[in-house]
Amino acid sequence: MSVMRSVVLGCGSYLPGQVVTNAELARRIDTSDEWIVQRTGIHERHIAAEGEFTSHLAIKAAQAALDHAGVEAGSIDLIVLATATPDNTFPATSVMVQAGLGITGGAAFDLHAVCSGFVFGLASADNFLRGGAFKRALVIGAETFSRILDWNDRTTCVLFGDGAGAVVLEAQEQPGTTADRGILTSHLRSDGRHKSKLYVDGGPSSTQTVGHLRMEGREVFKHAVAMITDVIEDAFAATGTSASDITWFVPHQANKRIIDASANKLGIPPEKVVITVDRHGNTSAASIPLALTAAVADGRIKRGDLILLEAMGGGFTWGSALLRW
Ligand code: UT7
């Protein structure tokens, strides 16, 4: 029996020009390249220029995705933009992107699930497309975390970077098997009891300030691997697949140790894991589409590959998605 699937037509990304190395951070705060590399796997990150906003990064990533897909911006009828660092409190950054791309039809909204935002965005767009409400969607993850970091707090400021990534999805009829192209399954979770382990200490309703990111790193680390592997097991169970069926594992890029431990627990060999955290740092909602685009651009991800995505972040929120490219 044929079913509707959300098929990826193309992907694209954008990184700001300025690269900040660990050595540069070590000149400003009490840290070292050795500590950062050993604990996180991060060597460098990109930082947005003054006057370069989340919407600017998102527009560039979205345009690259449209070009890669070979479709006109005007054919997009849904934009879902995942970000925790919007240009303004409102309107949504997605409408800036919509206007920037010259799109005047359909709908655009922001989605806030911090580092899990891209997986939540993908799942949301997938439901709209499969339900028939929209035909062609842009799902974007875009962040300027450099704007919410306390640059004097060495426990957080060395971890994050700025960037944006996007995919174009289209509703297409498929035969209805796990050999189908498109999103095969997605699994989303949240548990607000962990809200104080990773948060921003400001906001429009509470302090009327933007605030800075605060994290109990060790606590987040402790939960990460179990939560990630749980939702991946759900994806396997829902599709009757297993780790050995996966062509590429494209995890949220927070910390190489978390990625390695998750892959190891699931039985996914290191050569199937896409890593960009070394060059990008943790770009929150942007990290997965940035990694996808990198692996497509260098020829690793090809049509027909089975791709496993996962993310975990503030809230906590966490989720997985399994798709055939
Ligand atoms: O994407 C959202 C999800 N976020 C994450 O997944 C982040 C999860 N957490 C982590 O990745 C890790 O917990 C960190 C990388 C943040 C920290 O690694 P850790 O191995 O958990 O280190 P720690 O927090 O236990 O700190 C160890 C030591 C401490 O010193 P003492 O108390 O042992 O003397 C810290 O003060 O390292 C010290 N430290 C640093 N030293 C040099 C903390 N940050 C730094 C730093 N440079 N930048």
Side-chain angles (χ1 to χ4, degrees), residues 52-278:
E52 194 174 31
F53 302 157
T54 295
S55 65
H56 301 145
L57 310 187
I59 289 167
K60 287 184 170 139
Q63 189 57 60
L66 291 168
D67 293 345
H68 184 239
V71 301
E72 293 294 325
S75 70
I76 298 294
D77 55 4
L78 175 67
I79 300 175
V80 181
L81 187 146
T83 189
T85 45
D87 289 14
N88 297 98
T89 302
F90 78 81
T93 303
S94 54
V95 304
M96 323 269 194
V97 175
Q98 188 192 32
L101 294 170
I103 301 171
T104 52
F109 64 88
D110 285 11
L111 185 149
H112 196 337
V114 208
C115 295
S116 310
F118 185 75
V119 174
F120 275 58
L122 211 57
S124 303
D126 179 40
N127 275 288
F128 279 120
L129 293 179
R130 282 188 295 110
F134 300 102
K135 190 84 187 87
R136 206 177 258 177
L138 262 172
V139 180
I140 308 167
E143 304 277 17
T144 47
F145 260 50
S146 62
R147 305 271 155 71
I148 55 163
L149 295 174
D150 174 352
W151 286 98
N152 294 312
D153 176 9
R154 69 175 185 171
T155 69
T156 54
C157 77
V158 303
L159 305 173
F160 296 90
D162 300 336
V167 297
V168 178
L169 295 178
E170 182 180 73
Q172 288 184 7
E173 221 166 282
Q174 294 283 313
T177 73
T178 52
D180 289 356
R181 288 191 73 205
I183 299 172
L184 302 177
T185 192
S186 59
H187 301 267
L188 309 180
R189 303 276 181 274
S190 311
D191 186 347
R193 287 174 300 175
H194 301 286
K195 61 187 184 293
S196 61
K197 295 188 177 94
L198 176 49
Y199 68 105
V200 170
D201 61 5
S205 182
S206 54
T207 59
Q208 299 85 57
T209 62
V210 172
H212 291 117
L213 182 147
R214 305 293 174 202
M215 177 164 72
E216 294 173 33
R218 219 175 297 184
E219 279 296 310
V220 179
F221 200 110
K222 214 170 71 186
H223 288 86
V225 177
M227 287 176 161
I228 289 164
T229 49
D230 264 5
V231 280
I232 290 174
E233 298 290 358
D234 287 349
F236 289 154
T239 52
T241 56
S242 68
S244 59
D245 298 312
I246 301 305
T247 327
W248 293 106
F249 179 39
V250 187
H252 168 51
Q253 309 280 321
N255 184 322
K256 180 135 190 321
R257 284 156 62 211
I258 295 175
I259 296 172
D260 290 347
S262 307
N264 185 46
K265 193 169 167 195
L266 290 158
I268 300 172
E271 58 273 18
K272 288 187 171 187
V273 185
V274 176
I275 302 281
T276 49
V277 70
D278 52 339

Side-chain angles (χ1 to χ4, degrees), residues 248 250 274 291-292 295-303 305 307 325:
W248 293 106
V250 187
V274 176
L292 277 173
V296 169
D298 66 20
R300 275 178 291 174
I301 293 181
K302 296 184 198 66
R303 191 172 166 146
D305 286 355
I307 314 286
W325 202 255

